[in-house]
Amino acid sequence: MKKKIFTPALSILLVGCLVFLSYPDEMIAFAKSSKKSTADTCKEICDEGIVMLKNDGGLPLTEKKLNIFGLGGCDNGWYYQGNGSGAGTQANRVSLYQAFREKGFAINEELANAYNNCGLSNHVPVTEDPKINYQIHETNNEFVTSKVDQAKSFSNQALVVISRYGGEGNDLPKFQYKNISGTESYDKDRIYSQLTLEEEQMIATLNSKNFEIYVLFNTCNPMQMGFIDNDYIKGALYMPMGGNSGAYCVPDVMSGEVNPSGHLTDIVPYDFKIDPTFPNMSYEYDSKEPDKSFENRYNTKRFGDAKDEYIHYAAYEENIYHGYWYYETAFLDDNLYKQKVQYPFGYGMSYSKFEWNLFSTTFDTDKVIISGTVKNTSDKPGKDVVQLYVHKPYEGKIEKPEVQLVRFLKTKELGEGDVETFSFTVPYSELADYDCYDKNKDGFVGYKLDGGKYTFSLRTDSHNIKNQGDSKTEKCIASGTLAKQSFKEDPQTRHKVTNLFTTGKTDSGLILQNTDKHPKDGRCASIDGFDFGTNGIVKEYMSRKDNFAHFPEGYASLHPMMGKGTAKDDYEKTYKVLDPWQEEVPKHKQEQKVEITIDNVDATNIKDPSWEKLMDSLSLQEMEDLVVKGGFQTIAIPKINKKLSIDKDGPCGFAGGVNGSTATPSNFPSDSMVGSTWNYQMAYKFGLAIGDEGVNRLGGINGCYGPGLDLHRSPLGGRNFEYYSEDPYLSGILCSYQITGCMDEGMYCYVKHIAMNDSDMGRNGRYNFATEQTFRQVYAKPFEIIAKGADKFSNYDKEIEVHKANAAMGSVDRLGSTRTTGSYNFLNEMLRGEWGFQGSVITDFYQSGNVNDVDEGIRSGNDLMLNGANNCEVNDKTSDTYKHWVREAAKNILFTYANTKAIAKRH
């Protein structure tokens, strides 16, 4: 039965999800036309990713003379990238000053020289020491007041640059540690993501002289930006890390040479303290010993060692409600929402004006199809972002957000009067929510579609619905009634779907059992932590049914995990691997004569019989060597013509080239910058650029440890710049297209880190406690999208054949009590079973003991050990269990290698 709404007066073209088995000529032509020089691609990404937050008519500038205030704008103060594996190379960097000069601006050189001579030697740390990374550098107000009159005589225009760092190893602190003109101090009353007192004074001084003030945020994470609401701030831009040439986009946008089209990938509240993730994140200020504030990790407690410390654990008390899923649900009153939220998720401004029309909505038997047009009604060519959200009926049972992004599209550049038609197809199965506790008491745990009214709206961001055409009152909204439905198997793979990580009793009395395999005693704590310790870890997860009455209070509110009683017993059982377990497996075949090489297998299907013939020709030692010697490589096996492959960090560019290459790696824009383009074609171009550089320009790099696909769970996440977005759908789609570009160039991508590696505090063995719904619908969802391929979740562009991911990197932490790299249910039952993933999983940098165990990993679906020292050894080398699983692991590694080569040959 079909139900049609807004019957169109004109015909439209519905773009379907087309899957090509080989590359048609138009795909090859599109791929070739998408390839540009690395520098051009990086610039194009930043041009589309920089976000215009405010424009009171001053932008674009009519006068190209500019004062640049703030240490963040000087040559040693400009940030190019965050810290850690995503830092990239520092060669060939273009500073902000240089970018403005080269783009024809006259900057105040006297002011610029004064900032350059402030003694800031290098504002780009190469350490994970938080006291170095998160020291905020700025001048005192005396410096500013001494320069302001000369600056006023030079130009009435002032650009204030606000910079904040981020990176691997630490999350952003809840206090400020400052270096103001050489004097270090703490401010316990302001978080790192706020303006410092000195930055406030600088802006106030400029305002007192009646400057036209513009603000540029050059930051790894959004900040508290409420101050730009003041009338004296004429415009503001937000620039996630743009790589070594990203600075060029700033003068181009401010001059109007580039029309901004970036949109936020995170919601921006006025006060980060009201965010439900805030209590369970990062460093707290130590009022008794301030200098130890960076040592006392409030949420990383551990017990069990000689010092009787506390255990590392993270509690996702907010349930599914992080980012806009929380704010759009908690603050339904529009006036209250606007008091709490400054910029919604997906917000972004343009110099152009666009008119949308939603003219056809069809509710089919298994999907809804929504079609419309975008028209540029201004004389400025530009691009727009169409965002489709769904509101689902809430019955007070299964948790669900008020609105959820289900499709998006960035238009091509539209000139005055140009129109682009779009069509979104959304299967009803994608609207289902995961009921891990049988909240609606129908005797089933799994994905469920509640019956009732489903409302779809075209929005400019998560909060604001677009007007229908030139109407002032009618909105782009369509509704339909859907019947209740349960999905007992994955609609794509037809694999059974049920709880895999939850122990306990459901609301309807069903008994749930975490079936994850574990050495010897089978002990695996539930992912929600209700059965861990005497009384469990989390008292109650936040819910909208009681209007979020159980707002997280932080670790002080959780049940203690002191080193006594059941908690310590549980800890001892799950902290370390016991004797490797045995199971009934097929008997191992002895090494056979080589009948086939890696060039002759079916590289599209790991289940093809040719793979078993290939594996029969390998010895156990060759298989084991392939598995354990995975430090930035996969080894050569000459007899099957498997060449040595070189793998490199990281998500934003390579840490180095290969032996014999004199080329310098590029520092690409961050994944957050790619995310803010909201452009899947741009993500594909980014992938082509990275793949081309690694395989061709640098020569011989076969694999990349990236991109990063964890989520921006919190605005304080240290590695947020390595990840795309707070939204699982946006993140998964963009990543899928990016790795497709890499694979088309012959490079596989170990997408990282599956899963819940969204906080760096206490990582390396940390216990993560969340509901299975949270895990599945939020933090695992983007990895599901890349495993199945973005074309299964979109209908965007038939000119790009989307590839399924064939490689992934595991997290250093745990799902409940089970190591991510040791979770059979996650890596085999969910990743390979439910999602149909074919390929290899590698550890993050191998750490024995609490983080990784090679015997456990091999048996659980972790295939490759990122073992830089090549000192990782298997303990059990004789059992049939070992022989079976080391063979499977080796086969998965070889499939990643062969599959990527085959894709590149077709391309």
Side-chain angles (χ1 to χ4, degrees), residues 4-16:
K4 202 164 190 178
I5 302 174
F6 298 132
T7 303
L10 65 160
S11 61
I12 60 170
L13 174 65
L14 297 182
V15 182

Side-chain angles (χ1 to χ4, degrees), residues 82-136:
N83 185 54
S85 64
T89 177
Q90 296 190 34
N92 303 318
R93 296 183 298 177
V94 177
S95 73
L96 187 66
Y97 291 166
Q98 178 184 345
F100 271 101
R101 294 184 189 112
E102 291 187 21
K103 292 295 182 176
F105 273 78
I107 66 170
N108 185 339
E109 298 291 353
E110 182 176 330
L111 180 63
N113 289 333
Y115 273 113
N116 278 340
N117 291 326
C118 277
L120 190 62
S121 60
N122 188 353
H123 208 177
V124 186
V126 289
T127 175
E128 290 189 15
D129 185 344
K131 199 171 183 180
I132 295 175
N133 288 347
Y134 296 143
Q135 187 179 66
I136 304 173

Side-chain angles (χ1 to χ4, degrees), residues 19-316:
V19 179
F20 293 85
L21 299 179
S22 60
Y23 275 80
D25 291 341
E26 62 267 25
M27 283 189 179
I28 297 174
F30 177 83
K32 289 181 177 179
S33 67
S34 296
K35 289 182 65 174
K36 297 183 177 182
S37 72
T38 300
D40 287 344
T41 299
C42 291
K43 174 64 164 57
E44 190 176 4
I45 291 169
C46 292
D47 286 348
E48 288 211 17
I50 190 171
V51 182
M52 186 160 68
L53 298 171
K54 181 178 181 179
N55 184 16
D56 280 354
L59 295 174
L61 300 178
T62 56
E63 181 187 17
K64 298 182 76 172
K65 293 184 69 176
L66 193 65
N67 298 289
I68 302 178
F69 280 88
L71 268 178
C74 76
D75 288 338
N76 283 331
W78 179 252
Y79 284 143
Y80 305 85
Q81 207 57 269
N83 185 54
S85 64
T89 177
Q90 296 190 34
N92 303 318
R93 296 183 298 177
V94 177
S95 73
L96 187 66
Y97 291 166
Q98 178 184 345
F100 271 101
R101 294 184 189 112
E102 291 187 21
K103 292 295 182 176
F105 273 78
I107 66 170
N108 185 339
E109 298 291 353
E110 182 176 330
L111 180 63
N113 289 333
Y115 273 113
N116 278 340
N117 291 326
C118 277
L120 190 62
S121 60
N122 188 353
H123 208 177
V124 186
V126 289
T127 175
E128 290 189 15
D129 185 344
K131 199 171 183 180
I132 295 175
N133 288 347
Y134 296 143
Q135 187 179 66
I136 304 173
H137 292 263
E138 193 47 80
T139 59
N140 56 33
N141 199 46
E142 288 74 19
F143 174 92
V144 176
T145 55
S146 69
K147 308 299 180 188
V148 70
D149 289 335
Q150 185 275 331
K152 184 72 173 181
S153 65
F154 177 79
S155 171
N156 192 47
Q157 299 174 154
L159 176 64
V160 176
V161 182
I162 306 296
S163 293
R164 292 293 187 273
Y165 204 45
E168 187 171 357
N170 304 277
D171 295 325
L172 310 188
K174 298 178 182 178
F175 55 89
Q176 292 182 350
Y177 173 55
K178 304 185 295 184
N179 186 319
I180 307 301
S181 294
T183 300
E184 297 180 3
S185 64
Y186 287 90
D187 188 336
K188 65 181 178 62
D189 297 320
R190 300 180 188 227
I191 67 173
Y192 180 76
S193 303
Q194 290 177 259
L195 286 186
T196 64
L197 173 63
E198 292 73 22
E199 288 166 334
E200 283 186 356
Q201 291 172 338
M202 172 173 55
I203 293 172
T205 298
L206 295 176
N207 180 42
S208 70
K209 297 292 184 178
N210 296 316
F211 278 90
E212 290 183 6
I213 304 172
Y214 302 89
V215 175
L216 172 63
F217 294 96
N218 172 226
T219 58
C220 287
N221 305 46
M223 294 180 59
Q224 292 185 190
M225 303 173 175
F227 70 96
I228 68 174
D229 286 351
N230 291 302
D231 291 341
Y232 53 80
I233 304 295
K234 300 302 179 184
L237 300 171
Y238 169 57
M239 183 178 179
M241 300 293 97
N244 285 357
S245 59
Y248 285 124
C249 75
V250 180
D252 277 352
V253 167
M254 294 189 71
S255 68
E257 182 71 21
V258 166
N259 190 352
S261 60
H263 286 245
L264 292 173
T265 64
D266 303 275
I267 199 167
V268 182
Y270 281 104
D271 183 358
F272 287 1
K273 294 184 182 69
I274 71 169
D275 193 278
T277 66
F278 189 86
N280 289 320
M281 291 290 293
S282 201
Y283 296 99
E284 301 280 350
Y285 180 74
D286 190 328
S287 58
K288 295 181 179 179
E289 298 181 275
D291 287 339
K292 291 188 177 181
S293 295
F294 284 111
E295 299 174 19
N296 297 333
R297 300 184 175 191
Y298 189 60
N299 71 329
T300 60
K301 299 181 177 180
R302 189 175 97 184
F303 64 77
D305 58 21
K307 297 180 180 179
D308 196 30
E309 295 178 351
Y310 300 90
I311 193 169
H312 298 348
Y313 68 99
Y316 290 65

